[in-house]
Amino acid sequence: MTVHFIGAGPGAADLLTVRAVRLLESSPVCVYAGTYVDDQILVHCPLDATLIDSQHLDLDQITDHLVAADQRGEDVARLCSGDPSIYSALAEQTRRLDAAGVSWDVTPGVPAYAAAAAIIGRELTVPELAQTVILTRTQAASTVMPETESLAYLAQTRATMIIHLGIRRTRQICAELTSAYGPDCPVAVVANATQPTERVLRGTLATIADQVEDAGLRQAAVIMVGEALHADEFVESHLYGKRTRLRRSQEV
């Protein structure tokens, strides 16, 4: 039997992958985070499936459910919001499953930052302006950030920065980033991406905190910072350029 860690995407049920739907339909047990996963996604589960909301469970309790299902010979669909590769506690859970001898696999999903970029209609990498995207978070009531990953340190790159799990600290984040990016650097905040309660705010490092506080945003939001978010004057990529291409025989 197998525990399937499945990326549930940012919220919209029609952004599930075909593989994710197939696994949901075939798993007798589904463990999901009710804070982010709604009934439109759970509708793919069998009518008689055991549904377990993990939002109020600790890691030990979640693991107990996964191991118990395995002992019963039942597959589990373990739904993760966004994509399991970032901020999903995948490493903690799979380490425990390995210790218990439980098989598992991972199915990717649409990450929140990709959905947010699609919603605002921007490419996060722009030729000769921003060719790097940093995915990070801030520390509040959470695990300590490595010293080399402070926002001020990362901001020195002036890359496009996507900040997860930090919407309640927007004002502090803007203050930390301003010295590197400048107060007029474009910022976009997307909350509850692709869901009916979706909210999009646009501003700068100098103005976005007021907007976030006025909107009362408290969770499920990403903060996007960088010149790529508002770039309109930049060189065109070589990807589709008409430059002369060397044949292999001409290459040195």
Side-chain angles (χ1 to χ4, degrees), residues 179-228:
S179 60
Y181 286 93
D184 296 327
C185 181
V187 180
V189 170
V190 180
N192 300 311
T194 77
Q195 301 178 38
T197 54
E198 175 185 294
R199 189 76 182 269
V200 179
L201 304 177
R202 298 173 186 262
T204 66
L205 285 174
T207 65
I208 198 68
D210 287 340
Q211 295 185 54
V212 168
E213 292 170 4
D214 289 345
L217 301 184
R218 303 288 291 170
Q219 65 179 21
V222 294
I223 303 170
M224 315 173 76
V225 181
E227 295 296 335

Side-chain angles (χ1 to χ4, degrees), residues 33-229:
T35 306
Y36 303 104
V37 177
D38 63 20
D39 293 341
Q40 294 302 308
I41 291 176
L42 298 178
V43 73
H44 294 294
C45 297
L47 292 177
D48 59 348
T50 300
L51 304 179
I52 301 168
D53 187 350
S54 66
Q55 65 176 310
H56 299 303
L57 303 181
D58 62 28
L59 191 56
D60 287 333
Q61 293 170 321
I62 293 171
T63 303
D64 287 344
H65 281 295
L66 301 180
V67 173
D70 179 76
Q71 293 172 343
R72 295 192 302 268
E74 297 176 331
D75 282 353
V76 180
R78 176 64 173 113
L79 285 172
C80 309
S81 61
D83 180 79
S85 65
I86 53 173
Y87 308 126
S88 67
L90 176 69
E92 295 97 313
Q93 294 174 80
T94 56
R95 179 171 59 186
R96 290 175 178 233
L97 293 180
D98 286 341
V102 177
S103 298
W104 54 271
D105 58 27
V106 181
T107 295
V110 175
Y113 79 88
I119 288 165
I120 67 172
R122 302 300 303 195
E123 184 179 2
L124 302 179
T125 55
V126 175
E128 297 188 9
L129 183 62
Q131 291 290 281
T132 300
V133 179
I134 296 175
L135 307 177
T136 189
R137 67 169 181 84
T138 60
Q139 181 188 350
S142 57
T143 52
V144 177
M145 293 290 289
E147 291 183 7
T148 56
E149 295 182 19
S150 69
L151 289 183
Y153 183 83
L154 296 176
Q156 296 177 47
T157 66
R158 292 183 59 84
T160 304
M161 188 176 293
I162 311 297
I163 303 168
H164 294 74
L165 308 174
I167 195 64
R168 300 187 186 191
R169 300 188 68 248
T170 302
R171 192 169 295 279
Q172 297 97 309
I173 289 170
C174 291
E176 289 185 62
L177 297 181
T178 296
S179 60
Y181 286 93
D184 296 327
C185 181
V187 180
V189 170
V190 180
N192 300 311
T194 77
Q195 301 178 38
T197 54
E198 175 185 294
R199 189 76 182 269
V200 179
L201 304 177
R202 298 173 186 262
T204 66
L205 285 174
T207 65
I208 198 68
D210 287 340
Q211 295 185 54
V212 168
E213 292 170 4
D214 289 345
L217 301 184
R218 303 288 291 170
Q219 65 179 21
V222 294
I223 303 170
M224 315 173 76
V225 181
E227 295 296 335
L229 302 181

